[in-house]
Structures are given as structure tokens and as C-alpha cells.
Amino acid sequence: WNGREAPAMSRKFVRGVVSADGIAWSGLDGCASDRPGFAAEFAVPVAGEVVHFATLVPYTESDLDGLLARLGRSPLARVYNLGSTVEGRALPFFELGRADAPESVFLRARAHPWETGGSWLIEGLVDRLLDGSAASQALLDKVRFCVQPMANRDGVNRGMSRFTVTGMDLNRDWHPAVPHDPVLAPENAVLALWFAEQHRLGRIPRLAIDLHNDDGGNLHFSHPARDAEAFVARQTRFEELLREHTWFTEGHTAAGFHNAGTFGDGLSEQYGINEIGRAHV
């Protein structure tokens, strides 16, 4: 984890997924390994010449293309590109709901390529918001959902884990006084410009959620220097609503938690956004 050995896998139950065709997946339990340098082992069933194994069900560029095509057919969606990755791949972005809705929420998935749960959550969110129900329409009348569905697209294409092809972690270097390098991290540079433009227009999102998938399930609350007490109170209410209306049970980081330079802390300090630094799914 960021260049250090992560002991978490040796302490916790580990589960993976396996598929014979890369389409239908089933769960597979791991067990603690006695081999030096390894935390867990899996007995993978092999029924043919090819077997697919992953920690989470993969979400590929083909899945993303399907989602964007579906959104392109909806009158409730606006799909566009923010810019390009280091290797020239488009960085798609979409909005759902009225363009002039009084509130806005931002979500980002796949800052770390192998954390596919964020992508599946985005798929579920789109399904829910576009289900044609009166409740969904009422929500879209009030809230504009702004979504970056695959931030580290080069990493996803190459099957990488945490970093970009230039070795950057897109959940770092969000310092308000230091701009992102457009050569080393164009993925973050164009997103920072989007936030700056939203701020100029008076349309800055009230809430931003960065979706992740490592071994910890906590909400990572940012703790900005300004309005800290009220900020934490609002985040606590957000957690209460999650517990009331979703499957969420994990909890949140301690009051003293601070991770300078992360996406959450940067947006909180610069724009006062109610930001969940890492929402693990």
C-alpha cells in the first residue's frame, strides 16, 4: 500500500471472485497462507483452458462504454468529456437531473483502477435515477448529479492497481495552493478546472464523494480548518441517513483523522464542500 507492505489481508477474511468466461462470476473464499511473503491463498477451480480470477468483479472500459451509450439515449442525462488521460484516452463525465437544479452532488469512481466497487455503485445509481419513478424524478428536479465514472482510465486499461501510468495517486496532491501538473496528472488537472468553473458560476456541489474499495469500509470524513465543528455535524447526519436508508454499517474515521493532500481535504479547504474523502463500497 503506497510502497509499504499492507498487513490487513493477513488479519481479515479474504474473498475473491472467479469466472470461466469473464462474464458470470462466483465468490471464492481465501485462507491464510503459511508461505513466506504471502498473506492469503485461494484454491481456484480450473475447468478449461482459461480461468479468470479477481478480488472484485471487474468493471472494464466495455462496461463504461455501455453505460455512456445508455446515458446518451436519456433526455435526463448530459454526457461530455472533461479532457484526456496521459495516454490520450477520453475522460468521460456525465450529469443527471435538471441543469438548473438548486443543489448539486459530485461523485468520482476509479481514482484507483482496481477498486471496481465504485463503478458498480455508479451503475446502480444510474439505474435508480433513471427508473422512471415519481420519486426519482422528484429527486432529479432538486439535485444535479455530477459524475466522473472512471478517473484513472489508463490504469484500468492496463490492469493497474493504485497509480496512474506516470506513478501519480489521483487521491493525493489536492493542495489548494498548488495546482496539479497537467503533464504528470492531467486527470486531476482537468477535474480541478471543472471545480473552479463550478465555483465561478456559483454551482459548486454541496457534497462530493470519492468512491474507493480497499480493506477498510469506513467513511473518511475530512476535517477542514474552517467551520470544522459544523462540518463534522453535517457528515454525522449524512452517516445517519446512510444507516437508515442503505446497507451501510461500518462507521467513520476518528475525530482526529487528517490526511493532508487527499481529494477530500483539498476540496473541503478550497471550496468548503461537504466532502467524504473516501466512501468505501
Side-chain angles (χ1 to χ4, degrees):
W1 183 79
N2 276 0
R4 303 188 302 275
E5 182 177 352
M9 287 183 66
S10 63
R11 297 195 307 262
K12 296 185 177 181
F13 178 75
V14 179
R15 188 171 176 83
V17 291
V18 65
S19 172
D21 57 8
I23 300 173
W25 296 83
S26 57
L28 188 66
D29 293 337
C31 61
S33 176
D34 295 328
R35 301 171 187 268
F38 291 88
E41 294 182 2
F42 291 85
V44 179
V46 179
E49 294 185 359
V50 176
V51 64
H52 303 266
F53 176 82
T55 54
L56 296 164
V57 176
Y59 188 98
T60 67
E61 287 192 309
S62 296
D63 294 306
L64 176 64
D65 290 342
L67 174 65
L68 296 176
R70 184 154 53 99
L71 287 167
R73 295 189 293 270
S74 171
L76 298 173
R78 298 169 297 283
V79 182
Y80 53 94
N81 290 324
L82 281 186
S84 301
T85 67
V86 171
E87 295 186 327
R89 294 182 176 86
L91 285 169
F93 197 96
F94 64 86
E95 299 181 11
L96 289 175
R98 280 175 36 201
D100 61 347
E103 302 292 352
S104 297
V105 170
F106 172 84
L107 298 98
R108 179 176 76 162
R110 304 300 280 281
H112 301 148
W114 70 346
E115 297 174 2
T116 61
S119 292
W120 292 116
L121 187 146
I122 295 300
E123 283 268 354
L125 176 66
V126 169
D127 288 342
R128 177 66 175 84
L129 293 175
L130 299 184
D131 65 4
S133 68
S136 295
Q137 185 58 57
L139 183 59
L140 291 173
D141 286 340
K142 296 177 182 178
V143 181
R144 175 184 60 140
F145 290 85
C146 309
V147 182
Q148 187 179 33
M150 191 174 283
N152 191 343
R153 195 169 186 179
D154 290 345
V156 173
N157 183 272
R158 289 175 170 268
M160 298 171 68
S161 57
R162 185 176 182 89
F163 301 100
T164 68
V165 294
T166 56
M168 305 300 290
D169 184 340
L170 298 183
N171 192 33
R172 295 295 186 273
D173 298 323
W174 285 86
H175 301 287
V178 182
H180 295 282
D181 189 315
V183 175
L184 290 177
E187 300 89 350
N188 273 357
V190 295
L191 182 56
L193 289 175
W194 182 86
F195 275 104
E197 178 65 5
Q198 297 303 300
H199 183 257
R200 186 187 70 82
L201 295 173
R203 300 280 289 148
I204 201 74
R206 289 279 298 276
L207 175 68
I209 304 177
D210 203 17
L211 299 165
H212 289 265
N213 259 130
D214 63 23
D215 66 286
N218 287 335
L219 294 175
H220 283 217
F221 288 177
S222 301
H223 294 276
R226 57 174 173 170
D227 194 29
E229 185 175 338
F231 180 91
V232 172
R234 291 191 295 269
Q235 300 293 35
T236 300
R237 177 57 180 154
F238 179 75
E239 180 182 342
E240 291 172 352
L241 291 170
L242 284 178
R243 290 179 182 275
E244 181 180 351
H245 296 286
T246 76
W247 44 260
F248 181 78
T249 60
E250 282 79 357
H252 63 267
T253 50
F257 176 82
H258 184 69
N259 205 348
T262 59
F263 181 78
D265 275 27
L267 293 182
S268 300
E269 292 291 352
Q270 189 164 0
Y271 299 117
I273 296 175
N274 296 329
E275 215 282 337
I276 301 296
R278 293 195 291 170
H280 293 270
V281 294

